[in-house]
Amino acid sequence: MMNFELTEEQQSVKKVVRKFVDKEIIPYIQEWDRQGQFQPHILKRLAELQLMGVCIPEEYGGVGMDYNTLAIVCEELERGDTAYRTAVSVHTGLNSMTLLQWGTEEQKQKYLVPQAKGIKIGAFGLTEPNAGSDVAAMKSTAKRVGDHYILNGSKTWISLCDYADHFLIFAKTDHDAGSRGITAFIVERTFEGVESKAIKGKLGIRAGNTGEIFLTDVKVPVENRLGEEGEGFKISMSALDSGRFTVAAGAVGLIEASLEASLKYCHERSTFGKEIGKHQLVQQMIAKMTANLEISDCWYLKRAP
Ligand SMILES: Cc1cc2nc3c(=O)[nH]c(=O)nc-3n(C[C@H](O)[C@H](O)[C@H](O)COP(=O)(O)OP(=O)(O)OC[C@H]3O[C@@H](n4cnc5c(N)ncnc54)[C@H](O)[C@@H]3O)c2cc1C
């Protein structure tokens, strides 16, 4: 039989994140959301708490725990707000785990180690204005010139676009090869020709930083190519596997927050002479939410990549 109990270590991580979220995110999040303002100091705090590389091996600067622990971090963060869960999903799930899987030893030492420690922030640049689900429709290009590539194009909906130090950027090295013509690159923010611009006035994840990346004749050394030419699609899909797992875990935290808020309101609001939580139909809804939360919790713990 599957054991869904958390280990002692996982329980202590859960406690640390919960305490941090209760104290440093929940009391402020409504205001940050209203202002549409990302708070970079939260990234620093996540690094101090060693939550930016929880599932990255110790030899690469991480804590060396398992993927379920990353899921627990995401669940607890999203209990506070989606914005900071998204930050960890992108930094750890989409970027760092991809470097771990596909990077050379030199790339891991140079980029993964500082990311796992949270000293540097990683982001993921796949989506373009006309290429979302249909990744192979991307238009960004990478042209090999001697010992470097020249990248041109633009990306959109990129989480942490204004705060990331390193981007995993996907671009076409062969325009006619469809999904097999895509290559992945590690691009530093400081490379000439890289610019970012946040999207303002979003309807959701308002406290998150999401925006565009513009690449104009960006010179990227060959040693910053991740994998081989043409392997970018495969790399991006493996990254999305890790990323989506953290999104699912975060959703469980959101369900938990909704249940907590509903329970609180059940006691606060009265109709027909009693608290609404005393009405049978409301109790049924709460019971359904509780059952669904438990099912969702078990579901993601079974599905760690
Ligand atoms: C808050 C936020 C943060 C994000 N962060 C990042 C990031 O960090 N990095 C990054 O690269 N991207 C990021 N994205 C982009 C995200 O991954 C894309 O939005 C996603 O890939 C979908 O692409 P799209 O929005 O262009 O929708 P489209 O691909 O245009 O899809 C539109 C609709 O059509 C449906 N659809 C599409 N194709 C099919 C099909 N074959 N069959 C049936 N239905 C279909 C879709 O499900 C959707 O409902 C982010 C998006 C958001 C909103």
Side-chain angles (χ1 to χ4, degrees), residues 86 90 94 124-128 131-134 156-159 205 210:
T86 302
V90 166
L94 288 175
F124 186 78
L126 182 66
T127 305
E128 296 186 2
S133 316
D134 187 5
T156 193
W157 294 111
I158 307 307
S159 305
I205 320 185
T210 327

Side-chain angles (χ1 to χ4, degrees), residues 9-304:
E9 264 186 327
Q10 287 171 338
Q11 281 175 21
S12 79
V13 170
K14 194 174 171 76
K15 237 186 231 166
V16 167
V17 191
R18 183 163 286 226
K19 194 170 157 203
F20 164 70
V21 168
D22 279 341
K23 202 166 155 226
E24 300 184 45
I25 294 185
I26 290 179
Y28 310 102
I29 194 62
Q30 271 196 11
E31 191 51 33
W32 297 341
D33 190 86
R34 207 169 280 135
Q35 291 168 353
Q37 194 53 53
F38 183 75
Q39 305 291 328
H41 77 272
I42 296 288
L43 295 179
K44 282 210 174 72
R45 289 289 295 129
L46 290 170
E48 283 164 11
L49 295 167
Q50 293 188 294
L51 298 174
M52 294 299 261
V54 84
C55 61
I56 304 296
E58 286 172 276
E59 61 181 306
Y60 295 119
V63 180
M65 294 181 78
D66 61 3
Y67 296 140
N68 280 341
T69 313
L70 174 65
I72 290 162
V73 171
C74 289
E75 177 183 341
E76 289 301 325
L77 283 176
E78 190 143 356
R79 197 182 132 262
D81 193 64
T82 308
Y84 298 99
R85 191 278 303 151
T86 302
V88 170
S89 285
V90 166
H91 171 85
T92 308
L94 288 175
N95 188 317
S96 297
M97 281 170 69
T98 308
L99 290 184
L100 180 68
Q101 188 177 349
W102 297 91
T104 61
E105 190 52 34
E106 289 74 24
Q107 289 170 341
K108 287 179 192 168
Q109 291 301 335
K110 187 168 178 188
Y111 294 107
L112 178 57
V113 170
Q115 283 183 198
K117 292 179 178 169
I119 297 166
K120 297 281 183 188
I121 301 299
F124 186 78
L126 182 66
T127 305
E128 296 186 2
N130 291 309
S133 316
D134 187 5
V135 169
M138 72 169 58
K139 292 210 161 39
S140 292
T141 57
K143 196 168 172 229
R144 174 104 187 226
V145 182
D147 60 357
H148 57 265
Y149 288 85
I150 301 290
L151 266 60
N152 278 290
S154 71
K155 299 286 169 182
T156 193
W157 294 111
I158 307 307
S159 305
L160 297 176
C161 67
D162 294 325
Y163 297 96
D165 302 285
H166 312 147
F167 299 97
L168 276 188
I169 295 286
F170 297 82
K172 287 247 170 105
T173 36
D174 182 347
H175 182 265
D176 301 321
S179 63
R180 291 175 194 274
I182 298 170
T183 303
F185 299 92
I186 303 166
V187 175
E188 296 183 28
R189 171 179 295 282
T190 51
F191 287 175
E192 213 179 316
V194 177
E195 282 178 85
S196 67
K197 187 168 178 260
I199 295 168
K200 295 286 177 196
K202 283 180 298 175
L203 295 177
I205 320 185
R206 290 177 47 80
N209 173 243
T210 327
E212 294 170 281
I213 304 286
F214 303 99
L215 305 155
T216 313
D217 292 331
V218 181
K219 202 170 161 183
V220 179
V222 169
E223 60 264 27
N224 278 33
R225 188 185 68 216
L226 190 66
E228 298 300 323
E229 270 193 23
E231 278 193 322
F233 185 79
K234 199 162 63 174
I235 293 173
S236 70
M237 292 302 126
S238 81
L240 291 177
D241 281 346
S242 314
R244 284 177 181 140
F245 167 68
T246 64
V247 175
V252 177
L254 201 54
I255 299 172
E256 199 171 342
S258 307
L259 179 57
E260 281 173 27
S262 303
L263 281 173
K264 189 165 169 271
Y265 192 60
C266 276
H267 293 298
E268 282 169 6
R269 181 76 180 166
S270 291
T271 64
F272 304 97
K274 55 183 174 185
E275 288 176 4
I276 58 169
K278 298 261 167 28
H279 295 304
Q280 199 178 15
L281 277 180
V282 175
Q283 288 173 351
Q284 254 179 29
M285 285 194 279
I286 296 289
K288 229 182 203 172
M289 284 170 84
T290 309
N292 284 338
L293 172 64
E294 282 180 25
I295 293 165
S296 313
D297 231 341
C298 299
W299 182 86
Y300 86 69
L301 283 176
K302 254 168 56 181
R303 268 155 217 267

